[in-house]
Amino acid sequence: MIDIQNVTKVYTTKKKQTVAVDNVSLTIRDGEIFGIIGYSGAGKSTLLRCLNALERPTSGRILIDGIDVTALDAKELRQVRQKIGMIFQHFSLVSSKTVFKNITFALKAAKKPKPDIEKRVNELLDMVGLSDKRDAYPAQLSGGQKQRVGIARALANNPTVLLCDEATSALDPSTTKSILELLKKINRELGITIVFITHEMEVVKHICDRVAVMQNGKVIELGTVYELFTHP
Ligand code: ADP
Ligand code: ADP
């Protein structure tokens, strides 16, 4: 379970202060697909970076499975981050490395023996439907295929949570649909909790169980897709 308690994040520069996240409290349940939707600048990415402890809230706490990720030292943080996978709008693959190496990179960081790595990467490629692209370089892949590699890499260390940052926003509608189907399958078969931030309403309607709508750093609405989008 992810318990976000009164989280506020203020960015201070010489010229001004920006309240990017303003006193947000949310509980994301195990196994759900939770959407955070809002226009650009609403505070979605900042909140996601706080979940992954890439950013520390100015105030408030975030508990992931009971562990307060806002109060960990570097070593504890590395352990918690292994439970969290992340995928990105522009995939963030290393262009000089093959698909295989892009994925093992994540596993190596976890210091696994070599045969285990081979086996795990093959399993992951099978799961995302890219077994035949093992030795390809990112430039040889379509956008959808790149995101599949991103997903395989994110799953490498068996995370309990997958954070998705505009993960389909660079893809065309039909590719978006196939990536969303893959994420649904991962959620269903592996029981991984998914947090999906996006500005695309259709995406949220397609895969999310519950949705928070953010505006100016605040959650202005929260409910199931049915509650938010079907009543008048
Ligand atoms: P979203 O993901 O919904 O587009 P962001 O979380 O990126 O929103 O941004 C929320 C607000 O915080 C915006 O006003 C943005 O300009 C500001 N912001 C985001 N990151 C930083 C930063 N590193 N330094 C200063 N301001 C930032
Ligand atoms: P998408 O809509 O998923 O981005 P593309 O139109 O980019 O798809 O690609 C369609 C197909 O062409 C894909 O199946 C992919 O394998 C292939 N393809 C795309 N770019 C390349 C490339 N640079 N080299 C080889 N095959 C490619």
Side-chain angles (χ1 to χ4, degrees), residues 9-13 16 18-21 37-49 55 165-166 197-198 214 217:
K9 177 70 188 181
V10 183
Y11 290 111
T12 307
T13 59
K16 59 171 184 176
T18 306
V19 184
V21 176
I37 190 167
Y39 296 120
S40 175
K44 306 181 297 294
S45 313
T46 301
L47 186 60
L48 208 70
R49 287 201 300 273
E55 203 87 75
D165 188 352
E166 299 280 0
I197 70 168
T198 182
M214 282 188 80

Side-chain angles (χ1 to χ4, degrees), residues 71-105:
L72 299 178
D73 64 31
K75 185 172 167 233
E76 293 168 320
L77 214 55
R78 272 199 299 280
Q79 286 166 351
V80 166
R81 285 220 185 100
Q82 290 207 0
K83 302 208 306 182
I84 303 172
M86 191 144 180
I87 60 172
F88 307 91
Q89 177 171 9
H90 297 293
F91 326 118
S92 297
L93 303 180
V94 181
S95 58
S96 61
K97 290 185 193 292
T98 63
V99 166
F100 182 84
K101 285 278 174 76
N102 264 280
I103 300 169
T104 55
F105 196 58

Side-chain angles (χ1 to χ4, degrees), residues 4 35 52 77-78 84 89 146 188 190 198-199:
I4 302 169
N52 201 13
L77 214 55
R78 272 199 299 280
I84 303 172
Q89 177 171 9
K146 283 181 199 159
R188 205 171 47 231
L190 305 180
T198 182
H199 64 281

Side-chain angles (χ1 to χ4, degrees), residues 22-158:
D22 190 356
N23 196 25
V24 167
S25 294
L26 286 173
T27 300
I28 299 168
R29 300 167 191 146
D30 285 341
E32 82 177 325
I33 304 185
F34 190 92
I36 301 175
I37 190 167
Y39 296 120
S40 175
K44 306 181 297 294
S45 313
T46 301
L47 186 60
L48 208 70
R49 287 201 300 273
C50 287
L51 289 182
N52 201 13
L54 291 169
E55 203 87 75
R56 201 170 278 240
T58 309
S59 60
R61 300 201 306 167
I62 296 174
L63 306 182
I64 298 184
D65 296 337
I67 299 167
D68 184 351
V69 300
T70 58
L72 299 178
D73 64 31
K75 185 172 167 233
E76 293 168 320
L77 214 55
R78 272 199 299 280
Q79 286 166 351
V80 166
R81 285 220 185 100
Q82 290 207 0
K83 302 208 306 182
I84 303 172
M86 191 144 180
I87 60 172
F88 307 91
Q89 177 171 9
H90 297 293
F91 326 118
S92 297
L93 303 180
V94 181
S95 58
S96 61
K97 290 185 193 292
T98 63
V99 166
F100 182 84
K101 285 278 174 76
N102 264 280
I103 300 169
T104 55
F105 196 58
L107 275 166
K108 277 208 184 112
K111 293 200 182 70
K112 294 250 178 2
K114 212 174 164 190
D116 291 4
I117 290 179
E118 287 265 343
K119 182 164 168 278
R120 182 68 183 139
V121 174
N122 290 337
E123 267 172 25
L124 290 162
L125 286 174
D126 190 41
M127 171 171 309
V128 302
L130 274 189
S131 297
D132 59 330
K133 297 288 181 187
R134 196 187 126 117
D135 301 316
Y137 286 88
Q140 297 170 308
L141 303 176
S142 69
Q145 290 171 332
K146 283 181 199 159
Q147 193 57 293
R148 285 170 189 269
V149 178
I151 292 169
R153 179 186 55 190
L155 297 179
N157 295 308
N158 286 310

